Amino acid sequence: MTAPTTETELGALWRQVLRVPAVAPGDNFFELGGDSFRAAQLAGLVGTRLGVPVTPALAFDRPELAGQARWIDDARAAGLSAAAGPATGGGAPLSTQQEDFLYWMFESEPVRDIGSCATAIRIRDSFDVAVLTRALEAVIARHEPLRSVVTASGEVIVADELPPEVAEAVAEGRTPQERERDAERIVWHERMRLDDVLRGPLVRALVVHLGEDDHVLVLAVHHFAFDGFSLGVMLRELGIVYSALRTGYPSPLRPLPMSYADYCAFTREQWPRNQAYWDLVLEGAPRELTPFPGRRETTLFSRRRHAFEIDAELAGRLGETARARGATTFMAVAACWTWLLRQWTGMTDLVVMSPVPGRTAPEHETLIGCLVQSLILRLDASGDPSYGELVDRVREVSVGAVAHQFHAYQDARLRVPFPSRIHYESFGAPHFPGLMSEAFPFPREQEGLDWSANPGEVDLSAPELIVEEQRDGSMLAAVVYNHYGYDPATAAELAESFQEYVRAAVAVPDSPLPPLPATASHAGAEASQG
């Protein structure tokens, strides 16, 4: 029997990570659907399966399968080998994000509420709420984070049982249109409800009935125990368990390949290895974006959003400019946002925080919890770079951050408490597997969440950019801001300026992006600085 070649072994890892049926030596990792998240997964698998330590830069520097295989062969010939994997079987019950949440929650009185991750799904099928309840109970029993509550003293306890809250409502109206409007009203009020992580439950479901085979499911889980990636895991497991229970069979889900505690232990073991990298990145980093024209002094914070859309044609061209530089669409978006921040603030040393799922191995993808890792990107916007050169800078910084993504986020947050933020999602629209379903509109922000700054401090947050890829190729985006500190007009101006930079980037990627136009609010702020 002939031993498999490196190219064959690596090809199997590509198929696993990219979820494609076949790959060829000349295939490009990113053209098959790769991104920063999957590049990190590939790096982890190459280390554990092929025994060669690599970083996500392998995919970016050598996107073709044959080129990666040659590099691995050369590394093996040079005697490089991966260190033994981390020990499992116990460890920290909290992720780095949960530890920071705890610190932040108890920094002030009363205890701050983080809010929930939520979605709304239109189900055009028969739907049994009793079976849904049993399916939710099975998923909660399976995942410890969904049974974790915080005591008044800040201690985290994992309960043996923590039943979900499941309720029903009936949309009223004489016509389907009236009932749909009433369902939207009910969903809005449900989204505005606040949770209590000190008491639980952490999982809530509301089923709004519009007709015999027409329902809206609102599912909310407290953010302390949950992240955006977990929503996809939960919906997949709910669909599987619901289908089994409805037909009289027990849950077919296999035991989890890794516990949440073991995951937390694994990530914590990476902290010392990555600390030197983050010390270097954060040394002398600006704590906030100052001055930020349009920001007024406040001690309160509550999120609002200005939504906008980037059509599929423009989004596709932006992705093409990224791939031409060996980058991802996220990096192209970040380059446009970075240049906007430079023009808006006058700063050239910019710190941007962006969350990544924190799932660097296949077994991580089965876990529900708050596994999200926060990348701190310190970006150089100095000089007069072309847009392509700016993408190159973002790419270099992003690859390094992804390779060192496991770190003690609380330490980084204390060093840079008010970075800019980019939240980029490519998860697609939610649905309930096994049933005729689709996304239902609902508000993304919980407007009742008001947070106070610590005594003697003011809020210096900058507006945040959110971009969500859609299945039709377009992007739904928003500028999210503190409505106590900014006017809606400022958010609208930032959104329009960002779109102008996207259009300029795809039109002339080898030329510098232009300065901001002399708009009234920005020009006035600049004049006040002069």
Side-chain angles (χ1 to χ4, degrees), residues 23-190:
V23 294
D27 283 346
N28 183 292
F29 185 79
F30 297 100
E31 290 177 359
L32 293 181
D35 53 21
S36 301
F37 169 47
R38 291 172 178 83
Q41 286 191 322
L42 179 66
L45 286 172
V46 169
T48 57
R49 304 279 181 84
L50 304 188
V52 177
V54 301
T55 71
L58 174 70
F60 288 96
D61 295 343
R62 299 165 183 82
E64 291 189 354
L65 175 63
Q68 292 182 14
R70 286 194 297 271
W71 186 93
I72 292 170
D73 282 335
D74 291 343
R76 282 171 165 167
L80 293 180
S81 62
T88 59
L94 297 179
S95 69
T96 182
Q97 186 63 70
Q98 286 180 301
E99 288 190 351
D100 185 64
F101 276 160
L102 273 182
Y103 182 89
W104 179 82
M105 287 163 59
F106 286 88
E107 270 186 318
S108 66
E109 285 288 343
V111 175
R112 294 176 175 132
D113 181 11
I114 308 160
S116 62
C117 302
T119 191
I121 301 172
R122 183 81 169 262
I123 299 174
R124 301 180 188 271
D125 212 328
S126 61
F127 195 53
D128 190 321
V129 176
V131 175
L132 169 70
T133 303
R134 292 168 57 201
L136 279 171
E137 290 170 347
V139 173
I140 292 170
R142 178 176 167 84
H143 296 278
E144 284 189 1
L146 301 180
R147 293 179 278 112
S148 300
V149 293
V150 181
T151 69
S153 62
E155 181 184 3
V156 179
I157 296 175
V158 178
D160 293 333
E161 294 182 0
L162 192 61
E165 176 189 303
V166 180
E168 298 179 71
V170 177
E172 298 181 352
R174 291 173 295 177
T175 67
Q177 293 77 16
E178 289 178 350
R179 289 191 291 274
E180 184 161 340
R181 285 195 296 269
D182 194 44
E184 291 176 353
R185 177 190 63 81
I186 295 170
V187 168
W188 188 91
H189 283 284
E190 179 67 11

Side-chain angles (χ1 to χ4, degrees), residues 207-283:
V207 179
V208 183
H209 302 290
L210 290 86
E212 183 177 356
D213 292 330
D214 192 2
H215 321 269
V216 174
L217 168 64
V218 183
L219 188 63
V221 186
H222 201 281
H223 194 14
F224 181 78
F226 205 72
D227 57 21
F229 191 95
S230 294
L231 179 61
V233 181
M234 172 173 270
L235 288 174
R236 180 182 65 83
E237 292 193 352
L238 271 180
I240 292 171
V241 177
Y242 178 89
S243 178
L245 296 178
R246 188 175 59 171
T247 53
Y249 291 94
S251 168
L253 293 176
R254 297 177 180 178
L256 291 171
M258 171 184 255
S259 72
Y260 189 69
D262 282 347
Y263 171 84
C264 293
F266 160 73
T267 60
R268 187 177 295 268
E269 288 188 7
Q270 314 307 307
W271 293 2
R273 305 173 190 175
N274 295 332
Q275 189 60 48
Y277 172 87
W278 291 111
D279 285 342
L280 182 63
V281 168
L282 297 174
E283 178 66 30

Side-chain angles (χ1 to χ4, degrees), residues 30 36 56-63 277 322-328 330-332 334-335 338 377-379 387-403:
F30 297 100
S36 301
L58 174 70
F60 288 96
D61 295 343
R62 299 165 183 82
Y277 172 87
R323 289 189 291 275
R325 316 268 325 179
T328 65
F330 160 76
M331 296 172 188
T338 297
L377 309 177
R378 190 171 181 183
L379 301 171
Y387 170 70
E389 291 168 341
L390 197 58
V391 171
D392 292 343
R393 295 182 189 182
V394 173
R395 173 186 178 275
E396 181 180 1
V397 171
S398 299
V399 170
V402 169

